[in-house]
Amino acid sequence: MQQYRHDDEAERADLIDGLLAPHASVQPKHFYDVLGSRLFEAITALPEYYPTRTEAEIFAAHATAIGARCGSGGVLIDLGAGNCQKAARLFGVLRPAQYVALDISVEFLRDTLAGLQQQHPQIPMMGLGADLCAPLALPAPIRQGRRLFFYPGSSIGNFAPDAALALLQRLRAAARQGDGVLIGVDLLKDEAQLVSAYDDALGVTAAFNRNVLRNVNRAIDANFALADWRHVASFDRQGSRIQMHLQAVRDVEVHWTGGGRAFHAGERIHTEDSHKYRVEGFAALLEEAGFADPVCWTDARQWFAVFHARVPA
Ligand SMILES: C[S@@+](CC[C@H](N)C(=O)[O-])C[C@H]1O[C@@H](n2cnc3c(N)ncnc32)[C@H](O)[C@@H]1O
């Protein structure tokens, strides 16, 4: 397991800037400590949360075509790997020469990868603790050979389209001729269905959202009280995105080392966007980033899409 050095001071300054902004925000990467990763796993089991199940259906239904298109025997680089289950289900068709799992949730990844390596002792594996928002640095132990950058779960939707384009361009810069990307993307659909996927009846997504405050408390020594904040999920039609916020249920004053802020009852902290795409729109983004020949597989209801694109000759 390799971990890139964390610049705690820069992260702290960034968090405080976000909290002090007129429209306060915390970046979604702060959801993921070990508990956040476990809560996300629980979300994927909820009846309302269709993306994980639908993407898995697509992988199962089109495994042979995906394998044929991506090729086997390359280096599989899983971005925001989480519990690594999606990559593991493709091991059979991709037969990777090496599996590299990258995630910001380092402790969770370490445990997951140890279990996965036991199940697949024949595949060389490597964990990378890294932030995808930073420039992508792939260390030397990553083998030479064809690379497939795997980015499932519609995680790319957490970036606004211009930032998603910048991330795809960073991948393109790290890729060479013959390399490719395999990316899961959530598609635009009925608004009520979208909102319920981010506001489940059991309240797991609410817990996941509020957990960000525990992580903020730890990172900047703040005193957010979780009971002061309620989870809000809404759909912004113009921006084609689900938005998650935490809303103050009363007037609150929050302090952290060196500062603090008052929030009025009803004031919100923005914690996540999840952008929803049309097939043509995402294919165009891939091409704009410098990838060629995009193809996609979808489910029968066109809820979700898995794209493959290549580095052109
Ligand atoms: C929505 S989950 C998807 C997990 C898994 N790939 C899946 O499809 O089920 C997002 C994953 O990306 C990781 N992540 C979020 N922001 C990240 C960042 N900036 N850099 C690296 N990993 C990040 C999280 O820890 C989490 O495991």
Side-chain angles (χ1 to χ4, degrees):
M1 184 87 181
Q2 290 209 7
Q3 189 174 354
Y4 285 105
R5 280 209 66 74
H6 228 64
D7 184 344
D8 288 341
E9 266 319 300
E11 184 166 297
R12 198 183 138 78
D14 191 51
L15 266 171
I16 292 172
D17 277 355
L19 289 170
L20 290 177
H23 295 288
S25 66
V26 175
Q27 288 186 56
K29 64 182 177 181
H30 295 290
F31 285 132
Y32 297 99
D33 61 341
V34 171
L35 179 57
S37 294
R38 292 199 177 127
L39 285 167
F40 178 73
E41 268 193 310
I43 287 172
T44 65
L46 293 168
E48 295 95 333
Y49 196 77
Y50 63 84
T52 304
R53 265 189 309 280
T54 311
E55 191 181 37
E57 275 168 38
I58 296 170
F59 286 140
H62 301 286
T64 309
I66 291 172
R69 169 81 192 200
C70 298
S72 63
V75 177
L76 176 61
I77 304 176
D78 192 353
L79 304 168
N83 66 12
C84 306
Q85 282 311 300
K86 288 181 182 160
R89 284 197 214 105
L90 290 176
F91 284 170
V93 288
L94 297 179
R95 288 183 278 122
Q98 186 184 25
Y99 172 58
V100 179
L102 179 154
D103 206 290
I104 204 163
S105 190
V106 180
E107 282 175 58
F108 184 80
L109 180 62
R110 187 178 289 122
D111 289 351
T112 304
L113 214 50
L116 197 66
Q117 183 70 82
Q118 281 187 344
Q119 287 165 28
H120 301 274
Q122 77 288 5
I123 302 177
M125 294 187 186
M126 176 179 174
L128 274 182
D131 182 352
L132 275 175
C133 301
L136 191 67
L138 297 174
I142 294 189
R143 295 188 178 197
Q144 294 304 313
R146 192 167 30 77
R147 292 168 173 175
L148 179 66
F149 293 95
F150 182 48
Y151 197 26
S154 205
S155 295
I156 193 134
N158 290 154
F159 295 90
D162 57 343
L165 175 63
L167 173 58
L168 292 173
Q169 286 168 332
R170 289 200 292 281
L171 293 181
R172 174 64 188 84
R176 295 155 307 189
Q177 193 182 334
D179 292 351
V181 286
L182 185 66
I183 305 185
V185 178
D186 199 12
L187 299 178
L188 205 51
K189 61 182 68 60
D190 172 68
E191 187 167 330
Q193 189 194 354
L194 281 170
V195 173
S196 82
Y198 293 83
D199 195 9
D200 59 284
L202 199 55
V204 183
T205 313
F208 173 75
N209 196 6
R210 282 210 290 259
N211 181 54
V212 87
L213 297 179
R214 291 176 63 251
N215 295 336
V216 171
N217 281 347
R218 200 180 312 118
I220 62 169
D221 201 14
N223 66 345
F224 278 98
L226 272 60
D228 288 340
W229 299 88
R230 80 177 185 96
H231 165 68
V232 182
S234 57
F235 184 64
D236 166 25
R237 182 164 292 282
Q238 212 182 352
S240 193
R241 61 187 171 173
I242 284 284
Q243 297 204 288
M244 296 208 317
H245 288 88
L246 289 166
Q247 184 173 42
V249 295
R250 58 181 73 86
D251 290 349
V252 291
E253 266 193 37
V254 182
H255 300 281
W256 51 80
T257 312
R261 171 174 182 167
F263 294 89
H264 299 301
E267 220 174 321
R268 290 177 173 192
I269 302 175
H270 176 244
T271 53
E272 183 182 275
D273 281 339
S274 184
H275 289 264
K276 309 301 171 189
Y277 283 90
R278 294 186 194 281
V279 165
E280 324 73 67
F282 196 78
L285 204 63
L286 282 167
E287 289 183 319
E288 197 179 341
F291 291 99
D293 196 15
V295 292
C296 95
W297 299 272
T298 60
D299 55 296
R301 295 160 300 196
Q302 302 261 306
W303 282 357
F304 202 92
V306 173
F307 286 84
H308 179 264
R310 302 183 168 115
V311 174

